Amino acid sequence: MIVCVAVVGQQNNPLYIQSFTEADDALKLHHIVHCSLDVVDERVNNPKKSGPMLNETFLGLLYPTENYKVYGFLTNTKVKFILVTTDLDVRDADVRNFFRKFHAAYVDAVSNPFHVPGKKITSKTFAERVSNIVKSFGMGSTG
Amino acid sequence: MIGVGKIKQYSNVLDKPVSKGKQEVSLMDNIAELERRLEDAGYTVGARVLELLCHREKGNRRETRLLGILSFVHSTVWKVLFGKVADSLEKGTEHEDEYMISERELLVNRFISIPKDMGTFNCGAFVAGIVRGVLDSAGFPAVVTAHFVPIEGLLRPRTTILIKFAEEVLRREARLG
């Protein structure tokens, strides 16, 4: 079950945050996303310590908290995608697939000439596509 | 009565005398302003092109090295925008932080002829803006300009895009080894 997705800009400013459960506190989710940004920065700025290829876009599992898992993805323009999920056995391939579709939706939203980079993404089409991707993520991993 | 007034009414609008421009327009200001606006337009294109290309072509890798991003601009970006790779990529000899991408016939300059009184205005400023957008969004801040380089044997001058990287890029590159 995906709890929340977030798009964070170059200066760590939030561009799009969407939560998919009503049960949890939105503020707590914001806080989790914010903490995971530190992990992203650490991975990006210490290439020798992290070990794996430093120029991968998919960052993998950032850190597991009490009942959430947080995955990260970094694009070439330093824009970060954060995915918070409560699933316990999420396959790597599923998350990569999710981020690939999410990246496609993001690229389409940013290609809008009226979109100002650095401002929040206000496109309704983007929001719809993201909810569709989130729904199909649930199907893929259970089916 | 209609038509009575201080203004003379003409029966045919073509008979009205054409008004002469009263103010002097300073061309020096306009050229710099025009180039800046072209470059800004190119910058927005460049930022989006980078995002799009990374999703379509690059798959899973980010460019972190100077030569990597330069060859990416030189081949992939040029191929997507103009249908072919750029003619050449050279490193500047005088300064460490200068690189040049040259093109015999830049698409934007091919069908535009600059009037004599516009002086050194170069429509390649748009392409310079695109390159600056790509480099800036990828984390390599640079100053990019377009210049004409006359070559013997060629009727029209070659266009060169001059890229001058910021200090922090060189320091980071030296740190990465």
Side-chain angles (χ1 to χ4, degrees):
Chain A
M1 254 288 292
I2 292 191
V3 169
C4 155
V5 290
V7 179
V8 181
Q10 292 187 353
Q11 277 92 25
N12 286 349
N13 48 326
L15 294 177
Y16 182 79
I17 297 191
Q18 178 69 48
S19 56
F20 295 99
T21 61
E22 291 84 17
D24 290 307
D25 188 16
L27 200 59
K28 186 164 131 201
L29 295 172
H30 280 225
H31 186 248
I32 293 180
V33 168
H34 202 261
C35 292
S36 59
L37 294 178
D38 282 336
V39 183
V40 174
D41 280 336
E42 193 188 296
R43 293 252 182 115
V44 164
N45 292 334
N46 295 341
K48 299 204 171 49
K49 290 180 193 154
S50 65
M53 290 235 301
L54 73 109
N55 49 356
E56 271 276 329
T57 48
F58 178 64
L59 301 170
L61 184 66
L62 294 178
Y63 75 110
T65 62
E66 68 260 11
N67 40 7
Y68 299 124
K69 282 188 176 182
V70 183
Y71 288 89
F73 183 93
L74 184 68
T75 66
N76 216 334
T77 49
K78 302 274 170 58
V79 170
K80 310 160 187 72
F81 302 150
I82 307 286
L83 169 71
V84 182
T85 174
T86 52
D87 264 344
L88 291 175
D89 53 350
V90 178
R91 282 199 308 258
D92 202 40
D94 282 342
V95 184
R96 278 184 197 260
N97 205 14
F98 173 87
F99 275 129
R100 203 169 42 82
K101 289 192 249 183
F102 194 77
H103 194 186
Y106 172 73
V107 165
D108 285 344
V110 168
S111 302
N112 179 2
F114 295 112
H115 171 257
V116 179
K119 291 278 167 70
K120 291 199 195 269
I121 300 180
T122 51
S123 153
K124 288 200 197 75
T125 322
F126 179 69
E128 270 176 38
R129 280 177 76 173
V130 169
S131 356
N132 285 344
I133 298 173
V134 167
K135 283 200 200 87
S136 67
F137 180 80
M139 306 294 181
S141 59
T142 53
Chain B
M1 247 177 4
I2 304 168
V4 172
K6 298 234 165 63
I7 307 167
K8 193 169 171 197
Q9 302 287 332
Y10 289 92
S11 54
N12 188 356
V13 73
L14 291 174
D15 285 341
K16 216 165 155 190
V18 176
S19 60
K20 295 193 177 67
K22 289 265 160 47
Q23 67 252 59
E24 287 276 324
V25 176
S26 162
L27 278 175
M28 205 49 217
D29 275 332
N30 272 2
I31 293 180
E33 183 68 20
L34 257 178
E35 284 206 353
R36 198 185 56 82
R37 284 167 79 162
L38 265 187
E39 222 199 298
D40 284 343
Y43 184 89
T44 50
V45 173
R48 289 168 171 86
V49 151
L50 177 67
E51 194 71 59
L52 183 68
L53 284 183
C54 290
H55 180 258
R56 259 200 233 159
E57 319 242 343
K58 293 285 287 176
N60 281 345
R61 285 192 317 284
R62 289 191 304 131
E63 289 299 336
T64 43
R65 305 305 303 260
L66 195 69
L67 281 183
I69 191 74
L70 275 177
S71 57
F72 174 70
V73 168
H74 170 273
S75 37
T76 316
V77 176
W78 235 255
K79 205 160 167 66
V80 162
L81 293 177
F82 305 117
K84 63 181 202 47
V85 302
D87 282 346
S88 66
L89 168 66
E90 294 150 9
K91 188 166 153 48
T93 41
E94 304 108 48
H95 301 281
E96 268 307 304
D97 53 355
E98 283 184 1
Y99 289 83
M100 293 166 293
I101 295 183
S102 311
E103 183 82 30
R104 263 206 358 244
E105 280 275 23
L106 195 63
L107 188 69
V108 295
N109 282 339
R110 199 161 162 202
F111 300 109
I112 298 178
S113 41
I114 316 283
K116 278 285 186 317
D117 54 355
M118 294 284 265
T120 55
F121 179 63
N122 191 342
C123 294
F126 183 63
V127 177
I130 296 181
V131 173
R132 189 168 71 93
V134 172
L135 291 177
D136 215 19
S137 309
F140 295 86
V143 174
V144 188
T145 44
H147 302 278
F148 280 127
V149 176
I151 300 281
E152 293 154 29
L154 272 181
L155 206 56
R156 298 162 62 94
R158 211 171 62 161
T159 316
T160 298
I161 312 278
L162 182 67
I163 304 169
K164 196 171 165 69
F165 285 104
E167 256 306 304
E168 53 168 298
V169 175
L170 297 170
R171 272 185 274 144
R172 188 177 66 202
E173 194 65 20
R175 211 158 27 102
L176 285 174

